[in-house]
Amino acid sequence: MRVVENVPAQLTEYITKDDYYIFDENADRVYPDLLRPFEYGDLILPAKQWRSVWCTIRDKKGLKAGEHTLRFAVSAPEQEDIQVELKLDVVDELLPENDLLYTNWFHYDSIANFYGVKPWSKRYYKLLSSYVDTATLHGMNLMYTPIFTPPLDTKGGWERLDVQLVKVSVDDNENYEFDFSRLDYFLDFCSSRGIKYFEMSHLATQWGAEACPKIMAHTPSGYRRIFGWDTPSFGDRYKAFIARFLPELDAFLKQKGIADRVFFHI
């Protein structure tokens, strides 16, 4: 059971004029949008205002086809109880698979930071499973995949926790080697939970694509960052890296059999 909160919405429509979009100052409205966990005292019924309660019914085994009776009771101090009976008709049919590709940006470092666990550890994957299951339960079928630490929602010059799936090695002559084993496990993990499509994380920063994502590598001087805010995405070093990396990633995805279900941000 959830409360349906009305949310103020100012930008509800555009007026087109000479190929420009004009903000309509008279379009301010409130709309039922936010679903919030139901708590005692949340059922408030102001006069002449639309209110509702959102009820989700789930059964892991599947609801049996046929008519079901739902009974709701509302009580308040010094007021007569109200009872409502609703009929739910479950049709003996399954919807076809949705052809809509639905994704959300997924901040893997936030899960690690919140729970204080190491990314891609057994404990981390156990926690991640709940998030992926929730995503697929709500129709998500395209998973954001951190081949490198995603450069999303990150202030210039700052870094997020390392969550890159592709292991990179480089020697003093900038010869690169790539290990896709951790990415391979991640793809299987998500596929087993209903994810069918994968979008590779951004290969450049937001707001202009000027810099490289944070990329860590095993080097002769230790494990360190080799690309980031201080390296331009159009520089020769990064172009040489991408020229070596993308063909190997492409070959791995084809060998994996999912190349036709992978998307890239351009």
Side-chain angles (χ1 to χ4, degrees):
M1 304 287 287
R2 293 182 176 88
V3 179
V4 183
E5 295 277 20
N6 285 330
V7 176
Q10 292 179 320
L11 192 58
T12 57
E13 58 185 284
Y14 285 113
I15 299 175
T16 305
K17 181 180 180 182
D18 300 329
D19 294 329
Y20 289 94
Y21 290 112
I22 309 299
F23 174 63
D24 184 2
E25 295 181 349
N26 299 316
D28 296 3
R29 298 181 177 91
V30 294
Y31 287 90
D33 181 69
L34 177 66
L35 300 182
R36 184 168 55 76
F38 200 98
E39 298 178 0
Y40 179 80
D42 268 338
L43 189 59
I44 302 173
L45 305 176
K48 299 182 179 181
Q49 288 192 23
W50 185 95
R51 289 290 189 270
S52 72
V53 173
W54 184 280
C55 178
T56 302
I57 302 170
R58 288 197 187 94
D59 190 327
K60 291 183 178 180
K61 298 179 181 179
L63 287 172
K64 292 182 178 180
E67 190 176 86
H68 300 259
T69 301
L70 306 178
R71 296 182 180 87
F72 298 88
V74 180
S75 60
E78 302 178 2
Q79 298 290 329
E80 182 179 352
D81 289 357
I82 299 174
Q83 295 193 18
V84 178
E85 197 172 89
L86 298 176
K87 300 294 183 182
L88 176 66
D89 188 16
V90 178
V91 179
D92 189 15
E93 197 68 53
L94 291 175
L95 290 172
E97 182 179 350
N98 198 334
D99 60 1
L100 176 70
L101 301 183
Y102 168 34
T103 187
N104 281 296
W105 286 354
F106 212 107
H107 289 305
Y108 297 91
D109 61 306
S110 297
I111 297 175
N113 286 328
F114 184 82
Y115 294 101
V117 298
K118 183 180 179 181
W120 316 124
S121 62
K122 289 184 178 180
R123 171 64 176 157
Y124 180 86
Y125 267 110
K126 186 175 181 180
L127 294 165
L128 181 62
S129 64
S130 297
Y131 287 85
V132 177
D133 289 346
T134 299
T136 55
L137 182 65
H138 289 84
M140 208 169 105
N141 56 5
L142 176 57
M143 181 60 70
Y144 191 72
T145 304
I147 48 177
F148 304 122
T149 299
L152 303 177
D153 304 325
T154 308
K155 185 178 179 180
W158 291 51
E159 290 186 1
R160 301 182 74 116
L161 182 68
D162 174 18
V163 292
Q164 77 178 50
L165 287 170
V166 177
K167 297 178 182 179
V168 181
S169 299
V170 59
D171 62 20
D172 290 332
N173 296 318
E174 297 205 342
N175 296 310
Y176 297 100
E177 292 185 359
F178 305 101
D179 180 352
F180 297 105
S181 58
R182 191 157 59 186
L183 173 61
D184 186 52
Y185 184 89
F186 175 86
L187 296 173
D188 288 343
F189 172 86
C190 293
S191 297
S192 68
R193 283 162 174 79
I195 296 296
K196 186 175 181 179
Y197 305 94
F198 298 90
E199 56 170 332
M200 302 294 103
S201 56
H202 297 62
L203 296 175
T205 53
Q206 283 173 287
W207 316 302
E210 294 180 355
C212 302
K214 173 185 176 182
I215 298 178
M216 303 292 291
H218 296 278
T219 75
S221 59
Y223 187 65
R224 62 180 181 85
R225 181 174 59 79
I226 58 172
F227 294 104
W229 287 105
D230 56 337
T231 47
S233 61
F234 48 84
D236 290 339
R237 277 191 62 231
Y238 190 56
K239 285 194 288 186
F241 172 84
I242 289 297
R244 175 67 189 275
F245 170 67
L246 287 181
E248 292 200 27
L249 175 64
D250 183 51
F252 164 76
L253 295 173
K254 288 177 178 176
Q255 185 274 330
K256 185 74 175 169
I258 64 168
D260 60 340
R261 294 185 276 121
V262 169
F263 295 82
F264 286 84
H265 288 274
I266 305 300

